[in-house]
């Protein structure tokens, strides 16, 4: 089969991947073999490609057809259309995916939209689960223009949150308003109008996190779910007394939940099928464009998700 693998070398600024011939994966007893029809690429993967592990292969978001059910009898049967979230190896013609990370697709959900669901959708769903009820609460969301941000905006707005989204461009801000954001601001510093906030969902890090933290109400919560700026955060204990006194700062990792990926993927698929969640497809193109798409995703030239179709 053909699959993208890290090369460890850069060419003309492109991420370090090359299309190679590899053996088909041999699934473990609890894994199904999936013929991949589409996969999504994520910005975090562009960072990891800079220093890939020796055995790591990229690709955590796939959608396609089960060609071999898991040997232990779990999960979807052969012939079923599915969306999956493997640990890696998804940028390929075939992928082995645990049954615990697979959900079947109804006829109304195509594989392109499904491929945009796993990492971004799971992060958004579990981020709001970690935050607790948001109905009637004032919520500030940074980094709202990416795939996670679009899902969080739509889900939080549907739950009754008064959401302020941070988006650098008017075009992206307009889409966030369509999805339910009450306010859209160009940077965190300009987010004072909707505050003080009960909840901040922060994904930028660097200098943005302390500024966002200062906009919390007393006793509010900041959930830190990313560091897109790739810059460490510096906090001053005494700054909490200027507004967010007794605030809670929570670290978040989407994998650290008791629910299975399969159950949460099924929930996301149902929301899409019911017209209550709309994957934001900033780019859909052939998988031959993977390297170029990774560059544009890394450099923030793609709104929402980027999906590659396997030809």
């Amino acid at each position: 089969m053909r699959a993208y693998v890290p090369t460890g070398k850069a060419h003309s600024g492109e991420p370090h991947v090359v299309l190679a011939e590899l053996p088909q994966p041999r699934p473990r007893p609890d894994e199904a073999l999936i013929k991949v029809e589409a996969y999504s690429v994520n910005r975090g993967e562009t960072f990891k490609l800079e220093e890939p592990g020796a055995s790591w292969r990229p690709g955590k978001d796939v959608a396609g057809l089960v060609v071999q059910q898991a040997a232990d009898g779990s999960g979807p049967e052969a012939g079923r259309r599915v969306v999956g979230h493997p640990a890696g190896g998804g940028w390929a013609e075939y992928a082995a995916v645990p049954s615990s990370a697979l959900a079947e697709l109804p006829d109304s959900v195509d594989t392109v939209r499904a491929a945009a669901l796993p990492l971004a959708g799971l992060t958004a769903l579990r981020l709001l689960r970690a935050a607790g009820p948001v109905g009637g609460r004032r919520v500030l969301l940074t980094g709202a223009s990416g795939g996670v941000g679009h899902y969080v905006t739509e889900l939080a707005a549907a739950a009754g949150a008064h959401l302020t989204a941070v988006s650098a461009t008017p075009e992206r801000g307009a889409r966030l308003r369509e999805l339910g954001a009450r306010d859209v601001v160009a940077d965190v510093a300009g987010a004072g109008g909707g505050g003080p906030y009960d909840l901040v969902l922060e994904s930028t890090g660097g200098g943005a996190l302390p500024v966002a933290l200062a906009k919390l109400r007393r006793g509010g919560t900041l959930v830190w779910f990313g560091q897109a700026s790739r810059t460490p955060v510096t906090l001053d204990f005494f700054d909490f007394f200027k507004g967010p006194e007794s605030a809670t700062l929570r670290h978040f990792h989407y994998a650290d939940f008791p629910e299975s990926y399969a159950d949460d993927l099924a929930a996301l698929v149902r929301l899409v099928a019911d017209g209550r969640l709309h994957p934001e497809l900033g780019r859909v193109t052939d998988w031959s464009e993977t390297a170029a798409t990774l560059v544009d995703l890394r450099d923030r030239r793609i709104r929402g998700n980027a999906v590659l179709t396997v030809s």
Side-chain angles (χ1 to χ4, degrees), residues 78 84 132 154 169 181 215 256:
E154 188 166 19
T169 68
K215 299 184 182 301
D256 190 21

Side-chain angles (χ1 to χ4, degrees), residues 81-242:
R81 297 172 58 250
V82 293
V83 58
H85 189 54
W91 301 354
E93 291 179 307
Y94 293 89
V97 185
S99 299
S100 60
L102 281 173
E104 290 192 33
L105 297 175
D107 292 340
S108 60
V109 179
D110 59 88
T111 52
V112 169
R113 286 185 297 158
L117 285 175
L119 183 58
L122 288 168
T123 299
L125 187 69
R126 293 178 170 196
L127 185 62
L128 291 171
R129 185 177 296 153
V134 296
R137 302 174 75 191
R138 293 183 178 273
V139 180
L140 174 63
L141 171 66
T142 69
S145 296
V148 174
H150 283 83
Y151 288 135
V152 169
T153 296
E154 188 166 19
L155 292 171
H162 185 140
L163 182 77
T164 296
V166 179
S167 176
T169 68
E171 176 193 4
R172 297 183 180 192
R175 178 55 179 157
L176 294 167
R177 289 184 188 277
E178 290 174 359
L179 292 174
R182 296 281 191 91
D183 301 294
V184 179
V185 296
D187 55 50
V188 178
Y197 296 95
D198 303 293
L199 172 68
V200 172
L201 305 175
E202 213 294 298
S203 65
T204 307
L209 190 149
V211 175
L213 180 68
K215 299 184 182 301
L216 271 179
R217 65 164 176 81
R218 185 176 184 272
T221 299
L222 184 147
V223 183
W224 188 9
F225 71 100
Q227 190 161 296
S229 68
R230 308 184 74 183
T231 304
V233 172
T234 300
L235 293 176
D236 187 326
F237 173 83
F238 297 100
D239 284 344
F240 282 72
F241 294 102
K242 299 175 182 177

Side-chain angles (χ1 to χ4, degrees), residues 249-275:
L249 178 61
R250 172 173 177 171
H251 179 265
F252 171 90
H253 182 214
Y254 82 101
D256 190 21
F257 282 79
E259 294 84 1
S260 73
Y261 290 145
D263 288 343
D264 281 350
L265 282 172
L268 291 166
V269 168
R270 286 194 298 271
L271 288 169
V272 174
D274 293 343

